[in-house]
Amino acid sequence: MPSVSNKLTVKLGARSYDILIGKGLLKSAGMKIHNTVGNGKCWIITDENLAPLYLPLIQKSLAEAAMQSHTIILPAGEDTKNFETVKMLTNKVLDEIPERGSTLIALGGGVVGDLTGFAASVILRGINFIQIPTTFLAQVDSSVGGKTGINTRHGKNLIGAFYQPNLVITDTDVLNSLPKREILAGYAEVVKYGLIRDATFFEWLEKNGNAVVNGEFEALSYAIQKSCGIKAAIVADDEYERGTRALLNFGHTFGHALEAETEFGSELNHGEAVSIGMTLACKLSNILGFSRSATLNRTLNHFNKIGLMTNFPKIENRQWKPHKILGHMAHDKKNKSGRNTFVLMRDIGEAFVSDDVNLEVVERLLQEPNS
Ligand SMILES: NC(=O)c1ccc[n+]([C@@H]2O[C@H](COP(=O)([O-])OP(=O)(O)OC[C@H]3O[C@@H](n4cnc5c(N)ncnc54)[C@H](O)[C@@H]3O)[C@@H](O)[C@H]2O)c1
Ligand SMILES: [Zn+2]
């Protein structure tokens, strides 16, 4: 296994922060948090699935570090990522009189992380924010980079803020309780990094991807470290997505539209929507003549080998209508001057952004998986 450090720093000047990656880190989370933000009041925000599993450990560890903590437990799932939850959350925190030195701790997946980060960004115009990601997706992606937000009926993550955490504590042990479906969802974001930026990492995944999704520690922790490293470098280069950061949206223009079409429900999770979206982006790159068929086939072979979704799933009473998916894409926040923005690829590891794609070609492509 190539060696990568288990402490990474996202280099953003005064907003720089560490990502700690390892086994058994939750036990000492309190001291790590105390060392980062001091001993102000803190709130642990988590969901109902995680509370019975990990909350006592975090509470104990904060108490051992002499930190006073409150807890807010949210319903699990994407439906929670909305304005009503932000209202409830911020009011509960305000009830306990926070100060600028107070801290919100997100113990959960991307839903808890995105919501908590957004709340932290607006309470007193910004209080401390710690991420303790518990899904594979959150460990390799959403806990790093400072995008926070919520969904509205207009689409996904359309309300939010760039707000960096003060520290990310990634304990690989928590993945032992994560269902396989969620591991695969995180793997979609892992393979994304190889596809957009790092052909050598993609090659490594071709050999070791099954070990990663089967939870073999060495492979898993290397995949997390490598993914966070690639993301940290892109974020350090372009924190506010004026250029290269947009590459991280590979597969997401389609993916977000599919999530909107399924009303952010449990039919498709984020990673599943993104893996179908990446398949479509690879096919589109090939149809438009940017990438070779061999590149497309190599990518699809890997997705199939790991068990990532490549087609719209067959769901009772669900018809995937191209014009409806295109309708959702019109709301994408990456669009410029009314034109849809797509991340395409020339080869594995070489992605680029285009706002010059003929939507009739996209509509024909969207018909394909239904046939
Ligand atoms: N901010 C970003 O940069 C960014 C990047 C990617 C995705 N996201 C967002 O992240 C969200 C998806 O996050 P997610 O995939 O982590 O889903 P999630 O937070 O909904 O978690 C998935 C499910 O797994 C459960 N769970 C979490 N950790 C567990 C564990 N260790 N053991 C057992 N069960 C556990 C949760 O309770 C939930 O039911 C989406 O809203 C997406 O938009 C944000
Ligand atoms: Zn994503």
Side-chain angles (χ1 to χ4, degrees):
M1 206 67 50
S3 85
V4 183
S5 165
N6 55 7
K7 175 174 141 186
L8 298 166
T9 303
V10 184
K11 296 193 179 103
L12 290 168
R15 292 183 311 290
S16 295
Y17 56 94
D18 289 338
I19 306 166
L20 311 177
I21 302 163
K23 277 172 94 61
L25 299 186
L26 287 193
K27 277 198 305 291
S28 54
M31 196 43 82
K32 294 180 172 78
I33 294 169
H34 182 279
N35 291 343
T36 306
V37 295
N39 66 350
K41 275 185 204 169
C42 54
W43 282 258
I44 309 164
I45 319 295
T46 192
D47 77 26
E48 62 202 357
N49 293 336
L50 289 155
L53 296 173
Y54 306 111
L55 190 55
L57 195 57
I58 298 286
Q59 285 169 325
K60 181 165 176 276
S61 136
L62 287 165
E64 280 165 4
M67 293 188 75
Q68 190 198 339
S69 72
H70 304 272
T71 299
I72 300 173
I73 300 173
L74 306 172
E78 190 73 34
D79 285 350
T80 298
K81 224 176 100 170
N82 59 33
F83 263 127
E84 287 68 39
T85 310
V86 172
K87 186 173 167 194
M88 180 276 286
L89 194 61
T90 49
N91 274 327
K92 279 201 167 183
V93 173
L94 291 173
D95 285 344
E96 305 292 338
I97 317 178
E99 296 166 357
R100 277 271 161 82
S102 297
T103 301
L104 297 195
I105 302 168
L107 171 68
V111 166
V112 170
D114 281 10
L115 261 169
T116 305
F118 183 54
S121 79
V122 290
I123 293 171
L124 308 183
R125 296 202 180 92
I127 59 174
N128 300 316
F129 170 39
I130 305 282
Q131 287 268 25
I132 306 183
T134 62
T135 60
F136 191 34
L137 182 136
Q139 297 195 341
V140 297
D141 188 0
S142 63
S143 64
V144 175
K147 278 194 183 176
T148 71
I150 54 172
N151 306 323
T152 74
R153 68 184 169 82
H154 295 96
K156 218 176 135 62
N157 301 330
L158 293 179
I159 300 292
F162 284 100
Y163 198 66
Q164 301 293 342
N166 300 74
L167 178 69
V168 182
I169 302 172
T170 292
D171 185 340
T172 52
D173 284 349
V174 300
L175 300 182
N176 293 334
S177 58
L178 195 68
K180 181 77 184 269
R181 184 180 176 190
E182 299 298 337
I183 296 282
L184 289 176
Y187 190 86
E189 304 279 5
V190 171
V191 79
K192 178 188 78 178
Y193 296 115
L195 289 173
I196 61 170
R197 193 72 167 194
D198 194 329
T200 310
F201 183 44
F202 183 82
E203 211 174 295
W204 182 88
L205 289 170
E206 287 181 308
K207 294 195 188 87
N208 300 282
N210 276 324
V212 174
V213 295
N214 290 332
E216 291 175 28
F217 174 71
E218 295 287 321
L220 189 65
S221 81
Y222 178 74
I224 295 170
Q225 288 163 7
K226 193 74 193 163
S227 299
C228 290
I230 295 173
K231 182 156 185 186
I234 292 178
V235 169
D237 186 48
D238 178 23
E239 183 178 4
Y240 299 111
E241 201 168 306
R242 301 205 169 98
T244 46
R245 185 166 180 166
L247 298 180
L248 293 171
N249 298 324
F250 186 63
H252 284 61
T253 305
F254 290 111
H256 284 167
L258 298 178
E259 285 183 271
E261 180 61 11
T262 51
E263 288 138 27
F264 312 113
S266 54
E267 288 174 27
L268 275 185
N269 65 31
H270 179 72
E272 289 164 345
V274 167
S275 66
I276 300 168
M278 289 193 291
T279 305
L280 291 166
C282 289
K283 287 183 175 172
L284 186 59
S285 305
N286 180 245
I287 292 168
L288 295 173
F290 292 113
S291 67
R292 293 174 301 138
S293 298
T295 303
L296 171 63
N297 291 338
R298 189 175 159 198
T299 308
L300 292 184
N301 282 343
H302 183 62
F303 280 31
N304 288 329
K305 181 176 151 196
I306 297 296
L308 294 187
M309 273 192 193
T310 54
N311 268 338
F312 298 162
K314 289 194 173 39
I315 299 168
E316 217 178 307
N317 301 326
R318 163 82 48 212
Q319 282 190 310
W320 302 99
K321 299 228 168 82
H323 71 275
K324 287 180 77 186
I325 297 169
L326 279 170
H328 294 300
M329 282 159 68
H331 281 290
D332 198 291
K333 61 186 174 307
K334 276 99 63 192
N335 294 346
K336 282 195 191 121
S337 314
R339 297 184 71 85
N340 277 98
T341 304
F342 291 88
V343 185
L344 301 174
M345 69 193 295
R346 291 201 172 82
D347 203 344
I348 287 166
E350 291 175 37
F352 67 99
V353 176
S354 170
D355 61 0
D356 191 26
V357 174
N358 181 340
L359 291 184
E360 283 170 22
V361 177
V362 178
E363 185 158 7
R364 276 200 299 278
L365 172 64
L366 288 171
Q367 266 148 9
E368 247 182 51
N370 291 324
S371 59

